[in-house]
Amino acid sequence: MQNGDGTFPTLETDRLLLRKVTEEDASSVLKYLSDSEVMKHIGLAPFATIEEALDEISWYQSIFEKGTGIRWGITLKEQGEVIGSCGFLNRAPQHYRAEIGTELRKDHWGQGIACEAFEAVIRYGFETLQIQRIEALIEPPNVSSQRLAEKHGFLREGLLRQYEFTCGKFDDLYMYSLLKRDFEERY
């Protein structure tokens, strides 16, 4: 997942800088991961402590080091504060496949920020990581994430019934996918 020199890649869009999340960002990460509306469809209880935010940041670092994922902090160029994250997890290099996920602080919803970050991460996956298939697992009630995926050309392949056990309950998840060839036809 690393650049040729082993460093964490930074992605830039018109309004955003997607960068490595560090321990210094813990209070910003806690700000959105403690919001029950942001966490509603993530499969985790809202965070309550800075230690939980630090554990999340540590997990970002571990998946990057292991090559099983990469998670960027979403920042507005003029501000620099982490307002969300977007990236890959459950990467299966032998199958050229990864899962994409994102979350964003509530006061930035509806401004196209998630859309802009999503596109940059998808592009990096296909063009730099040479992924052939990007998957998105989305809870049926999470209509905004379904719209985000569909806007980027993802197709809903089916329903994975009681696929995850999170927060004391079994969750159904829609399986969405985007293939590299579909992406290349769009862009």
Side-chain angles (χ1 to χ4, degrees):
M1 295 303 249
Q2 302 168 356
N3 283 334
D5 61 3
T7 60
F8 192 95
T10 300
L11 307 180
E12 190 173 339
T13 69
D14 289 343
R15 297 181 294 167
L16 308 176
L17 194 63
L18 305 181
R19 63 165 175 84
K20 181 178 181 175
V21 181
T22 66
E23 290 183 359
E24 291 76 34
D25 298 309
S27 61
S28 298
V29 170
L30 180 60
K31 194 181 293 184
Y32 61 85
L33 293 183
S34 62
D35 186 320
S36 60
E37 284 189 66
V38 171
M39 299 300 279
K40 190 175 182 178
H41 302 296
I42 303 284
L44 297 170
F47 287 17
T49 67
I50 200 77
E51 287 75 25
E52 288 174 298
L54 288 166
D55 286 346
E56 183 78 357
I57 293 166
S58 178
W59 177 70
Y60 294 168
Q61 185 61 32
S62 73
I63 64 171
F64 177 69
E65 290 170 358
K66 293 177 195 169
T68 60
I70 184 169
R71 198 74 172 195
W72 286 271
I74 301 171
T75 68
L76 296 170
K77 283 182 182 176
E78 69 275 5
Q79 294 177 354
E81 179 185 8
V82 174
I83 58 170
S85 79
C86 189
F88 297 115
L89 63 153
N90 297 327
R91 183 173 180 226
Q94 72 276 26
H95 299 296
Y96 299 88
R97 178 179 72 225
E99 183 183 330
I100 194 169
T102 190
E103 72 276 329
L104 188 64
R105 205 168 76 195
K106 192 170 48 187
D107 59 333
H108 293 284
W109 289 1
Q111 300 171 25
I113 292 170
C115 190
E116 202 169 314
F118 212 65
E119 183 175 328
V121 169
I122 291 167
R123 185 174 300 283
Y124 184 86
F126 287 136
E127 294 177 356
T128 303
L129 298 179
Q130 299 304 310
I131 293 172
Q132 289 296 310
R133 175 186 167 91
I134 298 175
E135 299 173 342
L137 299 174
I138 304 171
E139 290 182 9
N142 191 350
V143 176
S144 61
S145 287
Q146 292 172 49
R147 284 190 197 122
L148 177 65
E150 290 166 359
K151 181 175 183 172
H152 287 89
F154 282 73
L155 298 177
R156 185 189 305 172
E157 295 182 331
L159 179 69
L160 303 171
R161 299 180 313 141
Q162 296 188 359
Y163 190 73
E164 287 184 337
F165 184 78
T166 60
C167 300
K169 64 183 179 19
F170 290 99
D171 293 321
D172 294 341
L173 295 173
Y174 284 132
M175 169 64 80
Y176 279 84
S177 72
L178 179 65
L179 303 181
K180 185 175 185 175
R181 68 175 185 235
D182 300 332
F183 172 79
E184 290 171 343
E185 287 173 9
R186 288 177 64 96
Y187 294 96

